[in-house]
């Protein structure tokens, strides 16, 4: 059912979301605190309101299910039911169905929900006997039934199935359904049941007298309109700066006027000196002309001074008003992070249950405010990290007990204010990061040599996990992102002009720390000049400004270096990083009259870089203009801005600049193999001929050289006899030597310790995946989840 009226549709979209969010958070709370009558009453009010809204707008399917949820909550309140885990599962699934139906009502997209299946599930919710249920308006078709028809009564008996019904056939169909068969794709039963006549509920209203004024306390504003206001407020800030420049121009005019007045006074002195020598008929016109000039200059001066004074007053008032306006609009866009964090308790609960783990999610700092776009853009990174923690970071309860840990793991989601910025931490008390695994992966992927890694600090090694496609995971699963690396998380955060760091201790846990601006409309930036062109550097990444003596620059391990805070600091010329002509002002090869070079020390997480520029120009607030889609990922540049003088200024990416110095440009690692002379060679081990043929074609179509083997023993033989392979793709269930045994045998050979092994199988239970990981597989793909892009992306990530 689609709500045709646009205004009503928008209202229902907003109110239904609020009520459904309240119910979901309330169910989660009651599951842990079942003896809270106040919370239960709050949820009953939410169901009652949502039921009324749905009835009013004709969303009858939602009304039906919410009516049943309301009945179940009433039974809990009266003590007829208890909040068992199975009972709560049914509540959640019923709520999910209502959410999909509400989405259909406001978008027109089919929900594919069988109301009868869901209703049957709710009627059988939990293990306790189901009470008498009187469902309202089961189908729209029922509205055509004469109101005199007696109401339909459905009763499910607890033991012998005895029923008291008017429509026996309908009840029998409902009784055939159980809580276990609910799926969005379930077959829709075509059952028409006469509608029960029931009185229209009148919404509760405050008693107001005829003379009392009508007042609306809140107004909903569409987000795009608010976004437009934010952009315009940012443009107003730029215009304000340009007006300030015009006042400076007025000052220049006043200086010119003062020079003119001085010249006029000198002319009068000259005339006065010549007066005795001039005839009266000559002197008089000169004196008259001089007087007129002085009078006009005086009048012009008065006008200029008055204009300067009024312009300054107007500029000061504009400064105050524009600042207040921009601040007010930005606050309108800011929302508490609790509205984002509320998405995760249900997810953690469901995934932990699916994994057979017990996890407690602790949320702190939900009242911290941030721009709504930050909340939107941070959903995916936080979702990725939390899923990753549940799937890979948190140990199984038995493993935790063996390690002396509590069987119940904890994930903390924390937010806090840091001046004009906010921090978000995702912390778990699981396995932590293994530096040795990270090093082995870095060497295997050709990122660094063992000698390079030996010189790195532990935090630098840990941050290698953010390299494109980098992963030490032993299985690819739906839960933790199907092999998508943490570089995606990093890129999303950098798009918000933020930074991401990881801190970990083996067997103790892991912390991912995001640092972000609270607002994205304007940002403080340092303006520098290179080759007479201005560039902006986000101020949050500027650590120190200083001037460096040329003789203090030395070479260390092939890189230009200076001593900074008693430590070596790599430095680079910004012109070189941007592939510009070497600046005359900072050219390193030649001595110049300028004895020192302006240097900006950037800090991104734990990494620092010194940048040599021609000059420091200014620090000001800028409005960042993002690239068009055609230029979305220009290296070293995140966007552009317009300075007060009207000139376009590129905004630099500190993260990219540091990456450029290290020679690790984004994206090169994921496709480096494509530049090789020979394609990577893959050993495919599969006993099923049709599957072996299909997978071989997929791999060859992606550019791989494929050797096939019909079972594990054949695969082991070909691995040892033929030329070195870059990866092994194997089935698990095979004759002679299965995939797990093959993987174990391969890992026993020292020369194959880092050979990527991918298991592709129909065995999808968590225990099967763990056995694959224990055997030494790098990835585990279930054939139920299989698609060719998943296999190819996994190979490219591992090779």
């Amino acid at each position: 059912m689609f709500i045709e009226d646009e205004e009503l549709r928008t209202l229902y979209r907003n109110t239904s979301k609020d009520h459904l969010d309240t119910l979901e958070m309330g169910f989660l709370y009651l599951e842990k605190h079942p003896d809270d009558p106040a919370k239960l009453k709050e949820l009953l009010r939410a169901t009652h309101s949502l039921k009324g809204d749905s009835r009013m707008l004709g969303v009858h399917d939602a009304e039906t299910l919410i009516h049943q949820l309301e009945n179940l909550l009433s039974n809990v309140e009266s003590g007829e039911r208890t909040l068992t885990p199975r009972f709560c599962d049914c509540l959640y699934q019923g709520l999910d169905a209502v959410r999909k139906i509400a989405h259909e009502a406001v978008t027109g997209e089919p929900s594919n929900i069988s109301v009868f299946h869901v209703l049957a599930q709710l009627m059988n919710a939990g293990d306790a006997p189901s009470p008498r249920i009187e469902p309202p308006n089961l189908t729209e078709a029922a509205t055509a039934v004469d109101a005199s028809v007696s109401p339909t009564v459905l009763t499910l008996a607890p033991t012998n199935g005895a029923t008291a019904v008017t429509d026996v056939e309908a009840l029998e169909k409902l009784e055939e359904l159980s809580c276990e068969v609910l799926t969005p794709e379930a077959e829709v039963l075509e059952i028409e049941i006469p509608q029960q006549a029931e009185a229209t509920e009148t919404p509760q209203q405050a008693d107001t007298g005829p003379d009392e004024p009508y007042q609306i306390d809140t107004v909903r504003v569409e987000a795009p309109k608010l976004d437009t206001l934010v952009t315009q407020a940012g443009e107003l800030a730029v215009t304000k700066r340009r007006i300030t420049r015009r006042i400076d121009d007025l000052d220049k005019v006043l200086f010119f006027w003062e020079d003119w007045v001085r010249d006029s006074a000198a002319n009068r002195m000259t005339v006065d000196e010549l007066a005795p020598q001039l005839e009266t008929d000559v002197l008089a016109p000169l004196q008259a002309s001089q007087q007129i000039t002085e009078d006009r200059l005086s009048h012009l001066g008065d006008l200029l001074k008055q204009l300067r004074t009024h312009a300054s007053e107007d500029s000061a008032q504009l400064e105050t008003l524009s600042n207040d306006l921009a601040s007010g609009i930005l606050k309108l866009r800011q929302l508490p992070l609790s509205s984002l964090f509320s998405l995760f308790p249900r997810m953690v609960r469901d995934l932990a249950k699916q994994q057979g783990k017990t996890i407690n999610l602790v949320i702190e700092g939900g009242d911290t405010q941030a721009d709504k776009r930050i909340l939107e853009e941070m959903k995916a990174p936080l979702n990725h990290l939390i899923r990753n923690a549940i799937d890979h970071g948190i140990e199984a309860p038995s493993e935790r007990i063996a390690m002396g840990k509590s069987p119940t793991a904890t994930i903390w989601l924390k937010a806090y204010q840091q001046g004009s910025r906010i921090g978000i931490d995702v912390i778990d008390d699981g396995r932590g990061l293994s530096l040795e695994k990270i090093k082995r992966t870095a060497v295997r992927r050709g990122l660094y040599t063992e000698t390079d890694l030996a010189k790195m600090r532990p935090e630098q090694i840990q941050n290698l996990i953010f390299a494109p496609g980098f992963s030490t995971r032993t299985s690819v699963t739906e839960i933790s992102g199907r092999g998508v690396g943490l570089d995606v998380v990093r890129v999303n955060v950098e798009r918000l002009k933020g930074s991401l760091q990881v801190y970990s201790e083996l067997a103790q846990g892991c912390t991912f720390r995001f640092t972000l601006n609270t607002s994205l409309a304007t940002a403080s930036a340092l303006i520098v000049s290179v080759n007479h062109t201005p560039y902006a550097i986000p101020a949050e990444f500027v650590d120190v400004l200083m001037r460096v003596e040329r003789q203090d620059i030395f070479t260390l391990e092939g890189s230009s270096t200076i001593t900074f805070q008693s430590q070596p600091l790599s430095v680079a010329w910004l012109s070189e990083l941007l592939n510009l002509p070497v600046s005359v002002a900072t050219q390193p090869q030649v001595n110049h009259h300028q004895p020192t070079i302006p240097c900006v020390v950037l800090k991104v997480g734990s990494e620092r870089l010194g940048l040599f520029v021609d000059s420091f120009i200014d620090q000001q607030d800028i409005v960042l203009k993002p690239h068009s889609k055609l230029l979305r990922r220009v290296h070293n540049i995140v966007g552009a801005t317009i300075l007060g003088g009207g000139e376009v200024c590129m905004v630099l990416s500190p993260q990219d600049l540091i990456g450029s110095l290290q020679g690790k440009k984004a994206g090169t690692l994921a496709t480096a193999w494509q530049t090789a002379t020979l394609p990577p060679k893959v050993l495919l081990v599969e006993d099923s001929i049709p599957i072996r043929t299909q997978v071989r074609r997929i791999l060859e179509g992606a550019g791989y050289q494929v050797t096939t083997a019909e079972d594990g023993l054949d695969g082991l033989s070909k691995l040892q006899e033929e030329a070195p392979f870059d990866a092994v793709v194997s089935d698990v269930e095979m004759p002679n030597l299965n995939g797990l045994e093959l993987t174990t045998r391969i890992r026993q050979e020292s020369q194959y310790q880092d050979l990527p092994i991918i298991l592709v199988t129909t065995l999808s239970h968590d225990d099967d995946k763990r056995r694959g990981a224990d055997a030494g597989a790098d990835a585990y793909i279930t054939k139920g989840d299989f698609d060719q892009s998943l296999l190819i992306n996994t190979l490219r990530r591992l090779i």
Side-chain angles (χ1 to χ4, degrees), residues 410-705:
T410 303
I411 295 176
W412 290 268
L413 191 54
K414 298 182 179 181
Y416 45 89
Q417 197 78 33
Q418 291 181 320
S420 62
R421 314 195 79 200
I422 60 169
I424 301 176
D425 290 352
V426 180
I427 308 169
D428 68 74
D429 62 352
R431 297 185 176 92
L433 298 177
S434 169
L435 294 181
E436 294 305 315
K437 286 185 178 180
I438 295 175
K439 289 179 181 179
R440 286 199 299 269
T441 303
V443 172
R444 187 184 72 226
R445 298 290 312 283
L447 297 177
Y448 294 96
T449 65
E450 293 182 358
T451 303
D452 294 332
L453 293 170
K455 299 175 183 177
M456 291 186 179
R457 302 187 304 274
E459 58 268 26
Q460 290 178 307
I461 296 174
Q462 290 174 352
N463 278 279
L464 293 179
I465 64 175
F466 299 119
F470 190 99
S471 178
T472 61
R473 296 175 184 170
T474 56
S475 62
V476 175
T477 68
E478 289 287 347
I479 292 178
S480 56
R482 298 180 63 160
V484 176
L486 288 175
D487 63 302
V488 176
V489 176
R490 177 185 56 80
V491 169
N492 286 345
V493 174
E494 290 178 1
R495 189 182 300 126
L496 296 173
K497 298 178 292 181
S499 61
L500 171 61
Q501 289 293 303
V502 60
Y503 309 92
S504 179
E505 186 175 348
L506 187 62
Q508 298 301 313
C510 194
T511 297
F512 289 91
R513 176 159 297 162
F514 300 91
T515 305
L516 304 155
N517 287 332
T518 55
S519 171
L520 299 176
T522 59
S524 179
L526 171 69
I527 311 299
V528 300
S529 173
V530 175
N531 284 344
H532 308 291
T533 302
Y535 292 91
I537 302 174
E540 60 265 25
F541 297 106
V542 176
D543 189 23
V544 174
L545 299 181
M546 61 183 184
R547 303 190 73 88
V548 177
E549 299 281 348
R550 292 181 180 275
Q551 61 268 25
D552 292 340
I553 305 172
F554 59 95
T555 300
L556 179 64
E557 297 179 350
S559 299
S560 296
T561 308
I562 62 173
T563 300
F564 175 72
Q565 296 178 353
S566 302
Q567 296 291 327
L569 172 68
S570 295
V571 292
W573 280 259
L574 180 57
S575 57
E576 292 183 355
L577 293 181
L578 297 179
N579 296 319
L580 300 174
V582 176
S583 170
V584 173
T586 57
Q587 187 175 0
Q589 293 85 356
V590 183
N591 290 324
H592 302 285
H593 298 297
Q594 185 180 9
T596 59
I597 308 175
C599 181
V600 183
V601 179
L602 301 180
K603 183 179 181 182
V604 179
S606 61
E607 299 292 332
R608 279 189 172 93
L609 167 66
L611 279 182
F612 289 139
V613 299
D614 291 359
S615 63
F616 307 131
I617 298 179
D618 192 12
Q619 180 173 346
Q620 58 182 244
D621 290 338
I622 62 171
V623 179
L624 178 64
K625 304 284 187 179
H627 287 310
S628 70
K629 292 182 179 180
L630 294 176
L631 302 175
R632 178 150 292 178
R633 199 64 186 107
V634 176
H635 200 61
N636 295 323
I637 304 292
V638 294
T641 190
I642 300 176
L643 300 180
E647 62 268 42
V648 175
C649 173
M650 294 294 107
V651 182
L652 303 178
S653 167
Q655 295 94 335
D656 282 359
L657 291 172
I658 290 178
S660 294
L661 183 65
Q662 297 171 343
K664 305 298 180 183
K665 293 188 177 181
T668 58
L669 298 176
T671 58
W673 63 268
Q674 295 176 341
T675 63
T677 304
L678 296 176
K681 191 172 182 180
V682 176
L683 175 62
L684 173 61
V685 187
E686 170 65 62
D687 64 318
S688 168
I689 296 177
I691 295 178
R692 189 166 68 235
T693 302
Q694 180 185 18
V695 176
R696 177 179 57 78
R697 289 176 178 175
I698 291 172
L699 294 175
E700 290 177 344
Y704 291 94
Q705 181 182 355

Side-chain angles (χ1 to χ4, degrees), residues 22-40:
T22 297
L23 289 170
E24 181 165 282
M25 294 303 296
F27 291 165
L28 288 165
Y29 177 83
L30 284 179
E31 192 172 5
K32 295 182 178 180
H33 309 87
D35 300 324
D36 190 334
K39 177 61 70 173
L40 197 55

Side-chain angles (χ1 to χ4, degrees), residues 308-320:
R308 174 65 171 79
T309 300
H310 290 166
S312 297
E313 292 173 351
D314 292 344
S315 178
Q317 186 175 11
L318 176 62
E319 175 90 16
T320 301

